[in-house]
Amino acid sequence: MSYSKEIEKAYDLAKESYAEIGVDTDTAIRRLSRIAISLHCWQGDDVGGFENNNQLVGGGIIATGTYPGKARNADELRMDLEKAMSLIPGRHRLNLHAIYAETGNERIDRNKLKATHFSGWIDWAKAKGLGLDFNGTFFSHPKATNGFTLASPDDGIRRFWIEHGIACRKIGEHMGRQLQSPCVTNVWIPDGYKDISVDRSGPRKQLKKSLDEIFAEKIDRRYLLDSVESKLFGIGSESYVVGSHEFYMGYAIENKILLCLDTGHFHPTEVISDKISSVLMFLDRILLHVSRSVRWDSDHVVILSDELQAIAEEIVRGDYLQRVHIGLDFFDASIDRVAAWVIGARCMLKALLIALLEPADKLRQMETSGDFTSRLAMLEELKTLPFGSVWDYYCLKAGVPVGTAWLQVVKDYEAEVLSKRI
Ligand code: RNT
Ligand code: ZN
């Protein structure tokens, strides 16, 4: 019997097991195949970008590790992304940062960036049938070295970053138009203080004013979806972060834009899974930056953890698939970077599949009727149902390697391509 026949046979058995609890595996697979994950370009080069400024990474963002083979230019990054995407089932999106502009030999400062500087990416995305998302880069820049950008007390610094924010929205709009799919354009700034500060409201007032200027122009939501990302603390902003959760939650509600919840941006024991249904009471849509924090916002590669599972369950149980934009946000330079994308994205999809394989109505009915015994029993039994056979079958049908087979592809790519980059 061939390998694929075995996978199909295992799937048939799994299908029966799930049918017994009222779940149709084919439907779950179909729903999963429609979910696009936004793959973050910055895992491919440790958030370096292509500005040729001697890798001035700042804003508390740190990719640790010295694994060889990081992408040195846009062509290499696209090549690596293609390799990763060939190992991830489904059709996904690419999330770009402004520092990944292709400006040739010209030095274009961030406030002068235009959509033309991203035409290489847009053409590539078009050819591959991918949607694009975008981010202003408010860090790793000489004008961000004192820790303040949009909330800076310095008019000139603030003006520069406001102009960058405006430029990025125009670029996002263009990407959305070109690709006929709204471009989620996110703002995250590092602004804050390392040590105890005395004026917590001043910088927040300043930030609000700056954001109002950035978002002043109304742009068609068919092309652009604005989003703002909060954070609790960062390296160099341990004591105070201007753009806190409460700040951006209020701002997003008042301005009817998206709020970005990054899994690593809250207290270490605080989880975002429980925030989704609350936030979506007041906002149309949200963006997720799915990451993995280990003791702090360390941006480890996403794994199939309890919290990842809880996030996926919330999205599926709440019927939020159309309202939650799922983006990945981690950067690990200690392992193969292509593998990092593949592991993280496959885990996100696995978590969603597990959630889609729940007997949702049945569970809800147990809960509302007060039968908590059955609810707990069912939730625990679900954990050992043959989800892996459904996942394998999905990978097989999607034309990507099943099980660990993708790892050899990455190893070969590493030997043939990545190890030759010095
Ligand atoms: C930083 C934020 C932000 C970045 C990326 C590169 O703490 O999470 O989203 O990780 O924009
Ligand atoms: Zn983030």
Side-chain angles (χ1 to χ4, degrees):
M1 196 158 66
S2 77
Y3 185 49
S4 61
K5 277 267 169 316
E6 280 174 30
I7 291 164
E8 287 185 13
K9 202 172 156 205
Y11 177 67
D12 287 341
L13 291 173
K15 195 174 159 66
E16 277 176 36
S17 305
Y18 280 104
E20 272 174 37
I21 54 157
V23 172
D24 180 20
T25 51
D26 291 333
T27 306
I29 286 179
R30 205 174 317 117
R31 291 181 72 194
L32 181 66
S33 70
R34 294 196 196 112
I35 303 175
I37 307 291
S38 199
L39 216 59
H40 54 316
C41 75
W42 53 93
Q43 165 58 53
D45 75 332
D46 316 336
V47 211
F50 310 130
E51 282 180 338
N52 292 322
N53 56 4
N54 297 324
Q55 303 287 317
L56 176 85
V57 179
I61 288 181
I62 293 179
T64 52
T66 53
Y67 207 85
K70 75 170 170 184
R72 296 163 299 182
N73 54 55
D75 287 331
E76 288 183 352
L77 190 53
R78 282 190 280 266
M79 209 176 144
D80 296 354
L81 279 160
E82 277 176 32
K83 184 52 73 178
M85 284 177 174
S86 75
L87 305 172
I88 301 165
R91 190 181 288 277
H92 301 288
R93 304 174 64 81
L94 175 68
N95 199 2
L96 276 174
H97 239 283
I99 45 173
Y100 293 83
E102 291 176 89
T103 62
N105 290 327
E106 237 184 307
R107 204 190 108 75
I108 312 280
D109 214 343
R110 304 237 185 116
N111 58 339
K112 299 278 186 266
L113 284 171
K114 296 213 157 38
T116 45
H117 302 124
F118 293 88
S119 55
W121 287 108
I122 296 169
D123 292 347
W124 178 76
K126 247 186 219 169
K128 301 276 163 211
L130 305 169
L132 285 179
D133 297 311
F134 195 56
N135 301 263
T137 312
F138 297 84
F139 50 87
S140 305
H141 189 280
K143 286 198 166 71
T145 43
N146 74 349
F148 275 81
T149 61
L150 291 177
S152 172
D154 181 309
D155 291 347
I157 300 266
R158 230 171 40 244
R159 181 61 34 210
F160 175 82
W161 291 112
I162 290 169
E163 286 172 11
H164 177 57
I166 293 171
C168 287
R169 290 184 76 221
K170 297 237 188 281
I171 294 165
E173 178 191 12
H174 182 81
M175 288 175 171
R177 253 181 220 282
Q178 290 292 308
L179 300 164
Q180 288 301 306
S181 166
C183 174
V184 179
T185 301
N186 184 48
V187 171
W188 174 76
I189 60 164
D191 301 32
Y193 286 118
K194 180 187 177 77
D195 220 329
I196 305 156
S197 60
V198 293
D199 182 6
R200 287 179 176 259
S201 71
R204 289 187 170 135
K205 283 179 189 146
Q206 207 62 268
L207 176 56
K208 184 177 180 307
K209 269 205 242 159
S210 298
L211 292 171
D212 287 348
E213 283 195 56
I214 291 176
F215 297 124
E217 190 187 329
K218 292 285 153 250
I219 297 180
D220 195 328
R221 285 171 67 96
R222 278 176 303 168
Y223 308 125
L224 179 86
L225 292 172
D226 291 303
S227 146
V228 284
E229 179 179 4
S230 71
K231 190 163 179 169
L232 174 70
F233 77 95
I235 293 184
S237 63
E238 288 84 354
S239 302
Y240 169 69
V241 167
V242 186
S244 62
H245 177 59
E246 291 71 16
F247 176 91
Y248 279 129
M249 173 95 186
Y251 194 85
I253 291 171
E254 192 171 85
N255 294 280
K256 299 189 167 43
I257 59 174
L258 279 70
L259 179 70
C260 171
L261 298 173
D262 184 309
T263 53
H265 287 196
F266 295 87
H267 284 279
T269 57
E270 196 177 355
V271 287
I272 69 155
S273 49
D274 185 44
K275 299 184 190 300
I276 296 172
S277 58
S278 294
V279 169
L280 285 174
M281 294 279 296
F282 305 100
L283 291 169
D284 243 17
R285 291 165 182 268
I286 56 169
L287 168 67
L288 299 185
H289 269 188
V290 184
S291 186
R292 176 165 55 108
S293 50
V294 177
R295 307 198 189 281
W296 67 288
D297 179 33
S298 57
D299 292 294
H300 279 62
V301 176
V302 164
I303 59 168
L304 191 50
S305 62
D306 284 353
E307 171 58 1
L308 187 74
Q309 196 47 57
I311 291 169
E313 283 161 3
E314 279 305 303
I315 299 173
V316 172
R317 290 177 186 166
D319 200 14
Y320 297 137
L321 279 165
Q322 304 307 315
R323 298 171 61 196
V324 177
H325 297 255
I326 306 171
L328 302 179
D329 183 11
F330 49 79
F331 23 96
D332 190 337
S334 73
I335 62 171
D336 182 292
R337 294 171 184 80
V338 174
W341 273 317
V342 178
I343 295 166
R346 283 176 72 119
C347 283
M348 186 70 242
L349 291 168
K350 282 179 197 170
L352 287 161
L353 179 58
I354 295 172
L356 289 163
L357 287 169
E358 275 187 354
D361 293 341
K362 217 177 248 176
L363 282 167
R364 202 164 294 131
Q365 205 206 321
M366 288 167 181
E367 185 161 288
T368 47
S369 68
D371 185 1
F372 304 145
T373 309
S374 300
R375 180 184 63 184
L376 184 63
M378 177 63 89
L379 285 173
E380 287 310 299
E381 287 306 323
L382 282 173
K383 289 180 180 170
T384 47
L385 281 185
F387 135 78
S389 302
V390 182
W391 169 252
D392 287 348
Y393 178 78
Y394 175 53
C395 289
L396 180 77
K397 292 292 154 187
V400 305
V402 174
T404 53
W406 65 264
L407 188 55
Q408 194 50 51
V409 182
V410 169
K411 290 284 178 195
D412 292 345
Y413 185 68
E414 196 177 304
E416 284 154 29
V417 181
L418 301 182
S419 65
K420 308 216 163 96
R421 292 180 190 162
I422 310 180

